[in-house]
């Protein structure tokens, strides 16, 4: 990837500061110009947010951070830069003046992007000597995380400029999306402005409050749009008959009073053909069943990610999923009491999900431990160590684990896990778990584990209470009669 | 949670079938009426999709699946049901007729929900004898995954009905969001219709094609809206000054030609006060810095989930993240060559991310193994076993692992991992990894692991090539001079 060598940021608010953070964390030196007296503080805060986010985002090795230098003039700031990003306030005269000044001082080959949310590049490049290298690069907040930059050229912008800009953004984790024509507010902000205006009416007319409106978005189409946009989503809704069928079905809504957006396009044959054709080009390589599968896997992955959000409390649709699971456990946990203790307990039935596999479609190492952990959690619930028990301050902690990998699981492989107690006392449970391929019954992995009963506030091991031990005892007694599984007591690399 | 005891679905297409799937997988028997000759096949397909999705969604114990029965009349189908969901085609006369028939035959206390996307409940309940228990429960596709049902009452609906409906939806993993007033298309579809109409113009006017429009959505505000809606997002954009500041800043856009939505609300003081007050009620308990933190953690989690999507190939913003990481590894991998082999190699620096912690904010067991895995991956890259090497058909697989937990890591804890080689030959690498708290240097967990060099297509171990062994040798030689770490060679539960 052909990256940016040196960047200049003209204007350093939330947007300009976040552009600077993208460049700096990508190892690129940044020259900054912003006359605001608080500019250094504001940029510093955005950069701190960005560094925190990147530390969570990836364990890939970030290059040494670029050097940030503040300058007192635009001329000094743009010196030697091959990418200059303008992010000054949204006034056409101000922006045009700043861009003309940048143009005069910069290397004629340097790319000049504007962060404008809505002004057309033709307006902005009017007075430039080298307008062919000027374009709009419109990012989205938080710029250090969201990958999109809408790339829009004006009448004087060369097509090569947009392609070059796209290529230079990739090494800092951004995706340049090139628009065919300029229009006020481009594509993203036009869609957002439509929702915003509609939303203001809904609040104005007391149909709902802001929280309800936000909930409607994030529990429904918001999750969908995190992974597929509007047209691909509707293509799936059209079913095997595709986009043309969807348009035929939903075309009539355009004449219904479903929004205040009254200047409605004529959905004639030509437009239907155009949309159906573009949709085929976009998604036609995959059938509807495949798109459904990908969509569902994505939605599951997003909801599972949100289930762990806000320090494990869950957020948005992830919190709803967490509540649902608590309800299922509360209702279904008891059923497992009827397990037959005269054999290893079959405690977990599951399936290798898309989030569990690596590039080659194999279940990754740590997901085996996740299944082992789910299995020991199921054992704990069986003996009364449930959510309420843990909340009240005691729990069993795993202190030691020995895993053997004996086979491979792939995306979609059905699995089940069985658990055999090896030895127990009032503080300890040592047990042996096997993950099986549900089709063949083959053992794919085994774990020998040791758990200690702890007072989690005091942070030390204590004897488990009598009722827990009483539930554990009959299982331990029954399992004592079972043969010791092959592999128990091994150390790593030990000869058989 | 007070759940539904028996459900009836009148109309069984994609929407009605998915309602049935929600009920059935929640352990509720369903009576179905749909005169369509293909109804059983269509419902069966939706149910299969739903079961596949649920298997990935949760390991919580689903109750025994409910029983699905098809009936030839509405009267038979609604018999004994306490929730009846109407999902017939979107024609007011048809729907009103069906609902009136349901009303006449159903238990007067049964709740009757309509899946209509836009018709007002007052219109639908007009001819009912017991209209007080009728309402709109508008779900979103795929209904078996997306949790939202917009609950809307007509003039004759009792308020208790909506609260009761909300309570009954929770046990099947859905969230009922109650609107204050009815309006055509309710809230979600009004917002969607605004985007749809604006989007049709953009395609019509050749500003972009459908794929570009979809990319703009899913790389930017789509990801934002999966976790926070429009108003909470803009509250953050307003910064510490809050919603009022945002409205002052962006109010002027309402008069700009940024959408075809021309019937624009008057953003007067009364509306500004209303929005600012509702936003305070919604989000005021958290400061902007906290909202930023939660937003960024959510965005990271979503992008990471999408990075593993489509069988590990990545999807949408997750694919962009994956490409970025590959670029970072390609660029940064070489730097690690300068590591000093006279001590255990410090290969990973990371931080406990929100997706890694449990309800109590502690790093979950299997995430330790993830860090151990990242560390051994870093070792492999160091000796030339990188992405291209694995693609070409050879790799090292972990076959055995012994983990000890010695301390606790919490959300945000900075970690680093060091790796010491214990023994190597032409097929095997046995090594010992320690995860440290970066603040204190304390060991939080250790792993002894054994990797085997394999021909991944043949599925058997083979000797590693000379160049890989040549890179491994100097490290192995240097590490042979280090003391053997405490804990090496242990089996689980072994006395010290």
């Amino acid at each position: 990837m052909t990256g940016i060598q040196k960047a200049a940021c003209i204007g350093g608010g939330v947007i300009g500061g976040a552009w600077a953070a993208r460049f700096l964390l990508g190892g690129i030196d940044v020259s900054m110009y912003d006359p605001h007296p608080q500019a250094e503080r504001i940029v510093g805060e955005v950069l701190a947010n960005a560094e925190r986010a990147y530390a969570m985002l990836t364990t890939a090795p970030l290059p040494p951070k670029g050097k940030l230098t503040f300058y007192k003039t635009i001329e000094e700031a743009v010196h030697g830069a091959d990418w200059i990003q303008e992010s000054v306030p949204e006034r056409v005269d101000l922006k045009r003046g700043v861009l003309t000044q940048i143009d005069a001082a910069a290397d004629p080959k340097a790319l000049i992007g504007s962060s404008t949310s809505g002004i057309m590049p033709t307006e902005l490049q009017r007075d430039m000597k080298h307008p062919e290298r000027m374009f709009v690069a419109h990012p989205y907040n938080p710029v250090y995380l969201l990958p999109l930059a809408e790339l829009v050229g004006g009448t004087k912008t060369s097509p090569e400029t947009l392609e070059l800009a796209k290529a230079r953004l990739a090494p800092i984790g951004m995706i340049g999306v090139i628009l065919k024509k300029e229009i006020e507010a481009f594509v993203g902000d036009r869609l957002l402005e439509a929702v915003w205006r509609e939303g203001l009416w809904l609040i104005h007319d007391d149909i709902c409050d802001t929280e309800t409106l936000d909930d409607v978005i994030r529990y429904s189409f918001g999750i969908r749009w995190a992974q597929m946009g509007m047209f691909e989503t509707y293509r799936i809704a059209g079913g095997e008959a595709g986009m043309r069928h969807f348009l035929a079905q939903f075309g009539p809504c355009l004449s219904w009073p479903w929004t205040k957006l009254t200047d409605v396009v004529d959905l004639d044959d030509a437009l239907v053909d155009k949309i159906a054709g573009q949709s085929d080009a976009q998604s036609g390589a995959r059938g509807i069943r495949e798109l459904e599968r990908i969509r569902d896997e994505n939605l599951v992955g997003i909801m599972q990610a949100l289930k762990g959000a806000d320090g494990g409390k869950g957020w948005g649709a992830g919190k709803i999923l967490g509540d649902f699971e608590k309800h299922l456990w509360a209702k279904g946990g008891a059923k497992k009491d009827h397990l037959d203790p005269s054999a290893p307990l079959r405690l977990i039935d599951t399936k290798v999900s898309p989030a569990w596999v690596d590039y080659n479609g194999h279940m990754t190492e740590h997901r085996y431990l996740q299944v082992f952990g789910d299995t020991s959690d199921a054992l704990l619930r069986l003996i009364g160590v449930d959510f309420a028990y843990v909340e009240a301050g005691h729990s069993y902690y795993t202190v030691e684990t020995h895993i053997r990998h004996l086979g491979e699981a792939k995306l979609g492989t059905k699995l089940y896990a069985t658990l055999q107690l090896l030895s127990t006392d009032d503080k300890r449970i040592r047990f042996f778990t096997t993950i099986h391929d549900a089709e063949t019954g083959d053992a794919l992995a085994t774990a020998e584990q040791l758990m200690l009963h702890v007072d989690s506030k005091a942070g030390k091991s204590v004897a488990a209470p009598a009722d827990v031990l009483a539930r554990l005892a009959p299982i331990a007694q029954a399992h004592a009669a079972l043969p010791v599984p092959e592999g128990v007591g091994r150390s790593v690399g030990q000869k058989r």
Side-chain angles (χ1 to χ4, degrees), chain A residues 17-28:
Chain A
W19 271 109
R22 276 265 184 202
F23 295 135
L24 293 167
L25 295 174
I28 301 161

Side-chain angles (χ1 to χ4, degrees), chain A residues 190-433:
Chain A
R190 286 190 83 86
L191 302 176
L192 284 171
E193 189 69 18
V195 178
W196 177 238
R197 294 182 186 195
E198 191 71 38
L200 289 179
W201 275 118
L202 293 166
I203 303 299
H204 177 270
D205 295 343
D206 287 322
I207 306 304
C208 63
D209 56 21
T210 61
E211 181 166 8
T212 302
L213 189 142
D214 279 2
D215 282 348
V216 166
I217 291 176
R218 68 192 184 139
Y219 295 144
S220 65
F221 61 84
I223 323 179
R224 281 199 312 227
W225 281 356
Q227 47 89 46
M228 288 179 183
M230 180 165 66
F231 284 96
E232 197 160 57
T233 298
Y234 287 162
R235 183 185 179 92
I236 299 177
E240 293 296 348
M243 203 64 206
R244 201 172 292 275
H245 176 67
F246 176 83
L247 291 171
Q249 207 175 347
F250 288 86
C253 307
L254 287 175
S255 60
W256 296 351
W258 275 18
T259 145
K260 295 273 185 175
L261 203 154
T262 49
D263 183 7
V264 174
V265 73
D266 184 13
L267 195 62
D268 57 12
D269 285 354
L271 183 53
V272 168
D273 283 350
K274 184 195 265 191
I275 294 173
Q278 290 183 358
S279 175
D280 285 349
Q282 174 184 359
S283 315
R286 302 175 193 267
I288 294 297
R289 289 283 164 269
E290 188 182 359
L291 289 172
E292 279 179 347
R293 175 186 64 74
I294 292 171
R295 175 197 64 188
D296 287 1
E297 290 171 2
N298 289 343
L299 296 177
V300 165
I302 291 169
M303 288 196 282
Q304 285 173 338
L306 292 174
K307 196 182 84 170
D310 197 16
K313 293 197 284 291
W315 186 267
K319 188 162 177 0
I320 308 298
L321 173 58
D323 290 345
F324 179 43
E325 290 186 328
K326 273 184 215 157
H327 167 73
L328 289 173
W329 281 119
K331 229 177 71 171
K335 295 226 176 65
K336 298 279 185 192
D337 279 345
H338 305 297
L339 283 167
D340 173 11
S342 71
L345 306 172
R346 179 165 171 163
L347 292 169
I348 291 287
D349 278 85
T350 187
K351 208 171 173 180
V352 180
S353 86
W356 292 10
V357 296
D358 61 17
Y359 185 84
N360 294 310
H362 294 128
M363 181 157 156
T364 51
E365 220 181 304
H366 71 277
R367 297 297 180 175
Y368 286 92
L369 187 52
Q370 184 173 350
V371 175
F372 288 128
D374 288 342
T375 310
S376 56
D377 281 354
L379 172 74
L380 292 177
R381 275 188 302 273
L382 203 60
I383 59 172
V385 179
D386 56 11
F387 194 76
Y389 186 92
V390 172
E391 281 280 274
H394 287 80
S395 188
Y396 276 94
Y397 283 3
T398 305
V399 292
E400 204 168 1
T401 297
H402 177 268
I403 300 169
R404 293 180 309 161
H405 293 277
L406 308 172
E408 272 178 42
K410 295 185 178 175
L411 179 66
T413 302
K414 287 183 187 163
L415 307 174
Y416 67 93
T418 54
L419 184 149
Q420 177 176 342
L421 294 182
L422 298 173
S423 62
T424 61
D425 62 22
D426 61 353
K427 287 181 179 174
R428 269 172 283 256
I429 308 178
R430 194 165 61 92
F431 56 99
F432 191 84
T433 307

Side-chain angles (χ1 to χ4, degrees), chain A residues 9 20 24 28-32 40 43-44 47 66-70:
Chain A
C9 289
L24 293 167
I28 301 161
D29 291 341
V30 173
S31 302
M32 169 75 73
E40 295 207 28
V43 171
L47 185 58
K67 190 166 173 289
L68 174 65
T69 314
F70 281 82

